Amino acid sequence: HPGQPLTRAGPLPAAPRRQSPAEPQRAAGPGWTRQEEDEEEEMEAWHQLYPGHIPTSPLQKALLAAGSAVMALYDPYRHDMVAVLGETTGCLALPNLRDKMKNHPEGYRILQERPRIRLSTLDMARLQGLPDGSLGREYVRFLEDNKVSPDTRMPPKFVDDEELAYVIQRYREVHDLMHTLLGMPTNMLGEVVVKWFEAVQTGLPMCVLGAAFGPVRLSTRKLQVLATELVPWAIRSGLNASCVLNIYYEQRWEQPVESLREELGIFPPP
């Protein structure tokens, strides 16, 4: 429909067209057709798929992917570069994740209601008061112990689909919950283990790259532990577990971590 963004579901209203002073004369000219007006409105709508969206061509995405990959490998803690890499290379994995969510009752509700995990949406006092071992209490403990915040997750910019942009946003915001469920800290060893799990779970090239090249910075002793214990466990758990994006974590805070692991199919950490 003219004036609406070309999204698969849940279109956002397009921004009002701003007409230049010369446009009325051009529209009235013999060479200006309704079809051309429709095409212009459609192109304009692509610029407002969601707040912060930056439309890019396939070539631009390839250049962004290459540059962000180099920077992410050089400094794995450049979360901005990791985020760009995920968005510019997830064209196949993100639709697959979205379809898994649509075909699952809880995942479908998440897509419809679009919950966000941020300090503004979390009742930290309530979560801190939950029993030890519950998802909410252990999640807050993870944030406190590792001095991290859910607000550091960057919003998507380069995903040219409003619904898929939410999928990758959701993946980013549940990343710390993956650390909590897997019992992994935020040091390089813990991040590599989580990336192996997420690579199997999501198929995102960014996760595969992090899993494959992250270990180059580890010591020999940690590499041995990683290769013999942690990676095999992470891969088996990733293959065995149901899709982690299909859990409405905000409604599971009271659930024990061990119970949620069993429900998902994550094996106990070694």
Side-chain angles (χ1 to χ4, degrees):
H1 189 282
Q4 286 187 341
L6 306 179
T7 56
R8 293 177 180 267
L12 296 175
R17 269 185 84 204
R18 292 185 179 179
Q19 199 172 42
S20 67
E23 196 169 0
Q25 288 79 7
R26 185 174 62 165
W32 188 249
T33 65
R34 177 61 183 171
Q35 181 180 356
E36 288 172 324
E37 285 184 347
D38 292 347
E39 290 174 355
E40 183 178 285
E41 288 180 1
E42 286 181 354
M43 288 299 295
E44 199 170 289
W46 274 103
H47 292 269
Q48 296 292 329
L49 288 178
Y50 52 86
H53 172 233
I54 302 175
T56 47
S57 68
L59 176 60
Q60 289 172 320
K61 281 185 171 62
L63 293 172
L64 284 167
S68 59
V70 171
M71 290 303 300
L73 289 173
Y74 177 74
D75 182 1
Y77 291 102
R78 282 290 304 271
H79 299 299
D80 55 340
M81 293 293 98
V82 175
V84 172
L85 181 62
E87 294 176 33
T88 53
T89 60
C91 55
L92 297 178
L94 289 176
N96 183 48
L97 288 171
R98 187 264 316 278
D99 293 344
K100 286 182 179 180
M101 295 178 74
K102 280 190 170 182
N103 293 324
H104 186 277
E106 203 163 337
Y108 182 74
R109 281 185 54 222
I110 294 168
L111 279 178
Q112 295 300 305
E113 297 176 12
R114 305 286 179 89
R116 297 291 307 276
I117 300 177
R118 302 184 62 80
L119 290 178
S120 60
T121 65
L122 295 174
D123 186 344
M124 298 298 287
R126 172 176 168 265
L127 297 182
Q128 289 170 336
L130 291 174
D132 289 343
S134 64
L135 177 66
R137 183 67 191 94
E138 297 309 315
Y139 173 62
V140 171
R141 195 190 311 278
F142 168 83
L143 296 178
E144 292 171 344
D145 290 349
N146 293 279
K147 297 179 175 58
V148 294
S149 166
D151 287 358
T152 59
R153 303 300 169 189
M154 292 182 60
K157 296 178 181 178
F158 302 107
V159 180
D160 293 330
D161 183 293
E162 185 263 348
E163 191 172 44
L164 297 183
Y166 175 75
V167 171
I168 199 166
Q169 182 74 56
R170 183 66 174 176
Y171 157 74
R172 289 173 183 169
E173 292 183 356
V174 304
H175 175 75
D176 289 335
L177 284 159
M178 295 304 98
H179 278 273
T180 305
L181 286 170
L182 297 172
M184 290 293 126
T186 57
N187 59 21
M188 186 57 65
L189 181 63
E191 288 292 352
V192 169
V193 174
V194 173
K195 279 291 178 284
W196 274 103
F197 176 83
E198 291 178 340
V200 174
Q201 270 277 308
T202 68
L204 286 166
M206 170 199 66
C207 297
V208 176
L209 192 68
F213 290 96
V216 299
R217 293 173 176 266
L218 297 177
S219 67
T220 303
R221 183 179 61 84
K222 289 182 178 179
L223 280 173
Q224 184 177 2
V225 174
L226 186 72
T228 59
E229 296 182 32
L230 295 177
V231 168
W233 164 73
I235 292 175
R236 284 195 306 115
S237 291
L239 291 171
N240 189 65
S242 55
C243 181
V244 293
L245 293 184
N246 286 336
I247 298 294
Y248 211 137
Y249 296 97
E250 295 89 337
Q251 299 178 358
R252 306 289 198 104
W253 295 129
E254 293 86 359
Q255 185 173 354
V257 170
E258 290 187 7
S259 169
L260 186 53
R261 280 181 189 149
E262 291 176 5
E263 180 182 338
L264 279 166
I266 298 174
F267 299 112

